[in-house]
Amino acid sequence: NRRHMIEAYGSMENVPMIRYLYVDTDPTWWQEQLSTVEKHIQLSTEEFVDIQIPGTEELYRGIKRGGFPQYGWFDLQKLENLKTVTDGAGTVRPMARLAFWFHYAKIRDAIKDQLNKLRNDSVATFMGTRHGIQLAEGINVYIVAGLAGGTGSGLWLEMAYLVRKVLDDMGITGANQIVGYGVLPQAFKDLSGTNSLANGYAALKEL
């Protein structure tokens, strides 16, 4: 993890071949780490994508009018009573996906920004000069998600498809790999929410 990388190499600047991006519907963890985690280990603002939706009313109206075909999968009749996606998706996977598509451009652009930084020629030069590591063509992307909540289980696969599309759109060739690490519900000490086990099952079944 990030702490181990920094302890091994001194700082993330010493391993520019590794980048982090944290996407969530609940900013609580990111906000807390600003005061509980050492400054040199903290995730920066550019490494965090907040995909909360403070109010869904206007979005719902657009879906009803048929103005947003990308949300055709969303069961408005069943979920219309859920008016926000803040402080998490409430263990409801479709609400996390709603937030994903609502913030699609922001997530895509954040991924592109990180990939562009990895592709910079200075990264390969630095790794070769400093560590004697010859970087091969291609980029490995690791997607880590908790599968008990709505956000992690709902976006795990969506994020993989988006990353693959961005890699293709950017013309990044080579042995690109997208690897997923899903943390099953049983791994969480304080498991709460009636959907937790179902979320984990659904996320795995979609693979």
Side-chain angles (χ1 to χ4, degrees):
N1 63 27
R2 188 183 181 94
R3 180 181 294 276
H4 290 156
M5 292 301 302
I6 292 173
E7 288 175 350
Y9 291 96
S11 72
M12 291 308 301
E13 286 74 19
N14 289 330
V15 275
M17 62 179 285
I18 297 174
R19 307 289 303 182
Y20 290 85
L21 188 65
Y22 177 61
V23 180
D24 206 346
T25 56
D26 182 357
T28 303
W29 179 86
W30 183 79
Q31 292 168 348
E32 288 179 348
Q33 61 102 34
L34 295 177
S35 59
T36 60
V37 177
E38 298 94 317
K39 189 173 181 61
H40 67 289
I41 296 177
Q42 294 173 7
L43 288 172
S44 66
T45 303
E46 69 175 15
E47 295 172 306
F48 172 55
V49 183
D50 183 352
I51 60 169
Q52 295 182 101
I53 307 179
T56 58
E57 291 85 355
E58 184 176 347
L59 178 57
Y60 286 170
R61 285 194 292 269
I63 294 174
K64 282 182 178 179
R65 292 193 301 265
F68 301 131
Q70 67 269 37
Y71 299 107
W73 53 269
F74 186 75
D75 192 340
L76 189 58
Q77 184 176 2
K78 186 176 181 180
L79 300 169
E80 191 173 9
N81 63 310
L82 300 177
K83 303 297 185 183
T84 65
V85 184
T86 56
D87 301 323
T91 72
V92 181
R93 302 174 74 237
M95 296 306 292
R97 284 181 170 152
L98 187 74
F100 173 87
W101 286 104
F102 186 78
H103 292 288
Y104 180 88
K106 181 164 70 169
I107 300 169
R108 179 201 62 207
D109 291 347
I111 294 171
K112 289 176 67 175
D113 181 58
Q114 296 294 350
L115 292 176
N116 273 323
K117 289 174 180 174
L118 286 172
R119 294 177 73 199
N120 193 295
D121 290 341
S122 63
V123 172
T125 300
F126 181 92
M127 294 305 297
T129 304
R130 183 70 174 266
H131 303 292
I133 297 175
Q134 187 71 29
L135 298 184
E137 290 292 322
I139 293 177
N140 297 335
V141 179
Y142 299 90
I143 301 172
V144 183
L147 303 185
T151 304
S153 65
L155 301 191
W156 198 34
L157 200 55
E158 302 282 353
M159 198 66 68
Y161 282 126
L162 176 56
V163 168
R164 185 168 67 182
K165 183 178 187 308
V166 172
L167 287 168
D168 290 342
D169 290 347
M170 293 177 68
I172 298 177
T173 59
N176 298 324
Q177 290 190 74
I178 302 172
V179 181
Y181 289 93
V183 182
L184 295 175
Q186 294 90 333
F188 294 90
K189 180 179 178 182
D190 299 316
L191 192 63
S192 61
T194 56
N195 298 329
S196 298
L197 294 177
N199 285 342
Y201 174 78
L204 294 177
K205 188 176 180 183
E206 288 176 348
L207 293 177

